[in-house]
Amino acid sequence: MRPHTKSAAAFAEARRFIPGGVNSPVRAFRGVGGEPFFVERAEGAHIWDVDGNELIDYVGTWGPAILGHAPRVVRDAITDAASRGVSFGIPNPYEIEMARTICAWVPSIEKVRMVNSGTEATMSCIRLARGFTGRDLIVKFEGCYHGHVDALLVKAGSGALTHGQPDSAGVPAALAELTITLPFNDVTALRSLFMARGSQIAAVIVEPVPANAGLYLPREGFLEVLRQQCSQYGAVLIFDEVMTGFRLARGGYQERCGISPDLTALGKVIGGGLPVGAFGGSAEIMDQLSPDGPVYQAGTLSGNPLAMSAGLAQLREMDRVNGWARLEELGAEFENGVRFALKKAGRDYVFQRIGSMFCLYFTSGEIWNLADAQRSDKAAFARYFHACLEAGIYFAPSQFEAGFLSLAHTPADLAQTAAAATTALIA
Ligand SMILES: *Cc1c(COP(=O)(O)O)cnc(C)c1O
């Protein structure tokens, strides 16, 4: 067994002062049992815990670390910006650079506003859509996670799903009633909802590639029908690309699928590891925001120079090295390793991947929605997770989270991972 006495002591101490010992629930390892480790430092694709264990990391701070941990360009950008002040609360040139970059890379975004998290981004999209349409109903899909916004914590994914609370306590029933949920990939359910209530729907929010209940893809035509129905009934289509934005392509998943949403929520990669989110869309809708329009939205630290420069440095580096093409290659190589491991172990588990995002479901058959994902054998996943951790491989501590590759993962990392996965799957 690897040593973990220091992490155990830290966790005991943390639990005295922090609910559950963590500042975000999935970190507590409840989905797999056992206790979390505490990090001493992280660099590239590797993490060292406080007991001195080295791990190959496939969580990447839940998505943002697309270049790997602590990349030079990002550290330099932060240091440089910090030397001139860490926050102003006054417009600064970094904000324009960031906005210009987002608008150039994501054509559906004509104007964009910066916030401090993905949750803030989706929350603001919902309010803006309601203000713009003058309607109240929101539609979301089962298993999609859009942050911990009251109206969106209905049949949600990620930590809410891991902890068996897809509907949170503390969300007023009157508010939850304004959120309608549909199964993902179900065109018939979508059409009949619009037929019945289309004129009351303010917005449909969707993860175009749902990655908070594991990982599954939109069926051919599903997003097209969604786009068409929203346009026909005047509902705002919101793509939540907090996870997929700047990860699956320079212009997000919308670049790959060729569908333009009305609003897009961004986060994670855009901040280079600092707390950043953004939301944007057509100028017509975005101009409804205060101070130009009647929809209020604000933020003391929004657009602060450290976060903007860290995010910009990361985005520019990805662009400079054409990181997305390289990640696609790495993803294919990783997939080969996992498929080889599955074959060797004689398992017919479902491995899903798109670009640098992946998930191994401990079940067979096809996975197209939350109900399919929930067939996964969570006890088997937990055993696999712990066997990999013991072998120095860190996957997300829940069946319902996606894994991430970064540009810092080397062929040696992938080979070591495939070997460990093979052993873990056989056991
Ligand atoms: C992570 C995530 C969020 C929430 O972002 P936070 O920064 O954690 O608030 C929203 N939507 C999706 C799709 C996400 O993956």
Side-chain angles (χ1 to χ4, degrees):
M1 279 287 276
R2 298 179 144 216
H4 50 79
T5 49
K6 287 183 180 165
S7 276
F11 191 50
E13 186 70 358
R15 291 179 78 160
R16 292 178 58 202
F17 304 108
I18 305 173
V22 292
N23 282 312
S24 196
V26 184
R27 297 179 199 169
F29 275 34
R30 299 279 170 88
V32 289
E35 292 189 351
F37 58 87
F38 278 65
V39 178
E40 174 89 27
R41 80 188 172 88
E43 197 178 330
H46 293 232
I47 285 177
W48 288 263
D49 73 10
V50 291
D51 289 290
N53 301 302
E54 182 172 352
L55 298 159
I56 303 174
D57 177 33
Y58 291 96
V59 180
T61 188
W62 304 94
I66 199 164
L67 298 173
H69 291 285
R72 188 71 205 229
V73 285
V74 173
R75 279 184 292 151
D76 286 350
I78 293 173
T79 313
D80 179 58
S83 71
R84 271 168 281 127
V86 295
S87 178
F88 310 124
I90 299 169
N92 67 76
Y94 295 110
E95 297 172 280
I96 310 172
E97 267 316 294
M98 179 59 97
R100 204 205 312 272
T101 303
I102 296 169
C103 293
W105 291 9
V106 187
S108 73
I109 300 182
E110 293 172 349
K111 289 192 177 177
V112 60
R113 189 164 272 179
M114 303 308 301
V115 292
N116 306 287
S117 68
T119 295
E120 261 189 76
T122 58
M123 176 186 80
S124 304
C125 285
I126 295 296
R127 184 182 308 136
L128 179 55
R130 283 175 164 156
F132 177 72
T133 57
R135 303 172 182 178
D136 290 340
L137 284 186
I138 299 295
V139 179
K140 77 177 285 292
F141 295 92
E142 292 165 10
C144 282
Y145 177 68
H146 305 292
H148 58 101
V149 181
D150 277 354
L152 300 175
L153 269 181
V154 183
K155 296 201 179 163
S158 190
L161 186 58
T162 301
H163 296 275
Q165 298 169 325
D167 305 283
S168 172
V171 177
L175 194 61
E177 273 166 26
L178 297 175
T179 303
I180 298 172
T181 58
L182 291 176
F184 190 76
N185 271 329
D186 187 337
V187 169
T188 312
L190 182 68
R191 284 190 195 278
S192 48
L193 174 67
F194 267 97
M195 191 106 75
R197 307 188 72 178
S199 62
Q200 298 161 267
I201 296 171
V204 179
I205 185 165
V206 65
E207 289 183 74
V209 175
N212 280 287
L215 177 72
Y216 40 85
L217 300 178
R219 275 186 191 276
E220 186 82 43
F222 175 69
L223 294 174
E224 284 80 357
V225 172
L226 180 56
R227 172 69 277 181
Q228 184 276 325
Q229 293 283 292
C230 285
S231 299
Q232 182 180 335
Y233 287 90
V236 174
L237 176 59
I238 305 167
F239 271 12
D240 179 350
E241 294 226 47
V242 169
M243 196 185 281
T244 53
F246 309 115
R247 175 166 283 279
L248 291 184
R250 201 177 77 150
Y253 185 69
Q254 54 194 271
E255 178 186 312
R256 290 174 73 140
C257 70
I259 296 170
S260 288
D262 301 304
L263 291 176
T264 301
L266 295 164
K268 297 193 170 126
V269 170
I270 203 179
L274 271 69
V276 183
F279 65 103
S282 70
E284 185 194 9
I285 301 180
M286 291 302 289
D287 284 341
Q288 296 296 308
L289 286 174
S290 52
D292 281 351
V295 179
Y296 192 70
Q297 192 279 329
T300 301
L301 297 174
S302 297
N304 82 82
L306 292 199
M308 294 303 93
S309 53
L312 273 170
Q314 171 147 288
L315 295 180
R316 283 175 179 156
E317 181 66 5
M318 280 295 290
D319 197 34
R320 191 183 71 80
V321 302
N322 193 8
W324 299 280
R326 175 73 194 120
L327 283 174
E328 186 58 52
E329 288 167 18
L330 268 180
E333 193 176 334
F334 181 76
E335 178 167 350
N336 282 340
V338 176
R339 297 214 180 278
F340 178 78
L342 286 170
K343 201 162 170 201
K344 212 154 174 212
R347 309 278 181 191
D348 61 352
Y349 299 151
V350 183
F351 181 71
Q352 311 254 76
R353 178 184 73 87
I354 176 167
S356 56
M357 297 165 62
F358 64 87
C359 177
L360 178 62
Y361 285 110
F362 284 68
T363 185
S364 55
E366 296 188 357
I367 313 269
W368 292 107
N369 56 35
L370 177 61
D372 292 343
Q374 279 177 321
R375 288 202 321 265
S376 186
D377 181 345
K378 293 190 271 297
F381 172 82
R383 289 192 298 274
Y384 170 78
F385 167 84
H386 281 294
C388 288
L389 193 63
E390 190 59 27
I393 314 294
Y394 180 49
F395 292 120
S398 164
Q399 170 69 83
F400 300 119
E401 300 288 347
F404 299 101
L405 290 159
S406 75
L407 286 184
H409 285 87
T410 62
D413 290 329
L414 301 194
Q416 192 182 330
T417 304
T422 308
T423 310
L425 285 167
I426 289 170

